[in-house]
Amino acid sequence: MQKKILFFPYSAGCIWAYANQFEEVNQNYTLKEFFIEKSDPAQIVASLDNPKVFGFSAYIWNCNYSLKLAEMVKQRYPECVIVFGGPHVPSSNEDWMKEHNFIDYAVYKEGEIVFYNLLKRIKGLEHSTNGMGFIQDGKLNEQRPPERIQDLDQLPSPYTEGYFDSIVEKYKGTGVVLNPIIETNRGCPFKCTFCDWGGVTESKVKKFDMCRVHDELLWMAKNKLEFATGADANFGSFKDRDMEIVDFMIETKKKYGYPKYFHTSWMKNQSEHLVTMASK
């Protein structure tokens, strides 16, 4: 029997972990639950308890489902603020916002700082609207690009901060394979037309601290997660650093037995050291 594989909601986890470190958020908002399965939308709506904000991370594989669910949530809870982000949300598109008028806000490009400001806006606190779209007086608000996150060390890890512990407990013993996503750097120097990396995060590549990378891999291993998926656009582009990550994964697997598999997007330029990494 084929196992069901579910991904951790890494992007949503990062966005919440960043916002929740600020007092104006953690004193006014409480995270209820992450939904990671395409369950019957009616069942999800029935399980809700008067949500104030409902966020959706939209990509090609879940956008139609998410739009349907969002519309149903809005019908049941008209005061709930519906937020859509992710690569499938068209940037600065007034027609799209009007077509899906049950969406209150769109978040463009990197979401951490934008979503934090959005939560402050909802509470009437001082905020920036850079990187967010909403209909005001019948028109899309004045569009300003979000600021690029320069220092990735200001982003807490949703894994090591415990935001995904409830997901591990929920699916323990069910036969579901949970697939964590690990991001060791962010950005891409290329702008391939078939890809979202370069267009979403601009060109400059920023690196996460190696201690964070190690700690996340250890969290995955200790929770006996079989698969790990790399979110880097060009793994192997930083020869020594990425080789160290590969070696650490090998040592972690020897000690804990996990992760058993690692899948990533390799550096686009051919290089001999990539063969060494892949062989390892």
Side-chain angles (χ1 to χ4, degrees):
M1 182 177 179
Q2 187 175 10
K3 293 182 178 180
K4 177 185 288 187
I5 298 176
L6 297 176
F7 285 84
F8 281 88
Y10 175 73
S11 57
C14 286
I15 289 168
W16 174 250
Y18 176 79
N20 197 48
Q21 67 182 323
F22 297 100
E23 184 176 355
E24 55 265 50
V25 172
N26 64 49
Q27 296 299 314
N28 289 292
Y29 297 91
T30 300
L31 175 68
K32 177 64 175 179
E33 184 177 359
F34 290 111
F35 295 102
I36 65 173
E37 285 189 82
K38 287 183 178 178
S39 304
D40 182 349
Q43 292 181 355
I44 292 180
V45 173
S47 73
L48 301 178
D49 181 18
N50 194 23
K52 301 305 180 185
V53 182
F54 203 126
F56 293 83
S57 179
Y59 211 176
I60 188 169
W61 48 71
N62 74 342
C63 193
N64 288 340
Y65 170 86
S66 296
L67 288 169
K68 180 62 178 177
L69 175 57
E71 186 174 22
M72 292 175 66
V73 172
K74 196 69 168 180
Q75 289 172 348
R76 177 66 178 85
Y77 298 101
E79 300 303 314
C80 179
V81 177
I82 303 294
V83 183
F84 262 66
H88 211 71
V89 176
S91 181
S92 306
N93 190 316
E94 182 175 303
D95 291 339
W96 190 85
M97 291 293 293
K98 288 182 175 179
E99 179 185 355
H100 306 98
N101 58 8
F102 49 86
I103 298 175
D104 296 289
Y105 291 95
V107 173
Y108 308 127
K109 298 193 174 184
E110 286 181 294
E112 285 91 348
I113 294 176
V114 183
F115 187 71
Y116 167 53
N117 276 292
L118 196 158
L119 293 180
K120 289 195 292 182
R121 176 182 173 84
I122 294 171
K123 299 301 295 185
L125 303 173
E126 184 178 351
H127 64 281
S128 166
T129 59
N130 292 0
M132 69 177 76
F134 52 90
I135 299 297
Q136 189 173 50
D137 299 325
K139 294 184 178 181
L140 188 67
N141 64 305
E142 180 183 354
Q143 295 294 282
R144 293 185 294 269
E147 60 179 293
R148 176 78 196 275
I149 299 173
Q150 300 298 325
D151 180 14
L152 297 184
D153 291 341
Q154 66 181 296
L155 306 181
S157 166
Y159 296 107
T160 59
E161 292 295 317
Y163 292 113
F164 292 158
D165 290 355
S166 60
I167 295 177
V168 174
E169 287 301 315
K170 179 179 180 179
Y171 290 99
K172 186 177 294 183
T174 64
V176 170
V177 176
L178 293 173
N179 192 339
I181 298 168
I182 186 164
E183 185 181 29
T184 77
N185 64 59
R186 182 179 293 185
C188 181
F190 308 110
K191 291 189 178 292
C192 304
T193 56
F194 59 83
C195 182
D196 289 301
W197 262 301
V200 171
T201 56
E202 310 299 345
S203 59
K204 185 82 173 169
V205 178
K206 307 291 184 180
K207 303 173 187 174
F208 284 94
D209 183 79
M210 285 292 278
C211 289
R212 172 193 170 112
V213 175
H214 287 184
D215 288 345
E216 288 190 337
L217 286 168
L218 283 173
W219 184 92
M220 295 170 191
K222 290 179 180 180
N223 281 284
K224 299 181 178 180
L225 301 175
E226 293 185 25
F227 292 85
T229 296
D232 300 356
N234 298 279
F235 189 74
S237 58
F238 301 103
K239 179 179 177 181
D240 295 335
R241 171 188 165 91
D242 291 348
M243 191 71 80
E244 179 184 336
I245 293 171
V246 169
D247 289 338
F248 186 81
M249 280 192 286
I250 292 170
E251 292 304 313
T252 302
K253 182 180 179 182
K254 288 180 179 177
K255 183 174 181 179
Y256 297 99
Y258 298 89
K260 295 183 177 180
Y261 308 96
F262 177 62
H263 175 265
T264 192
S265 296
W266 293 97
M267 178 183 174
K268 305 305 180 287
N269 298 328
Q270 294 184 0
S271 178
E272 185 176 343
H273 75 271
L274 295 181
V275 177
T276 302
M277 285 186 189
S279 298
K280 286 188 174 185

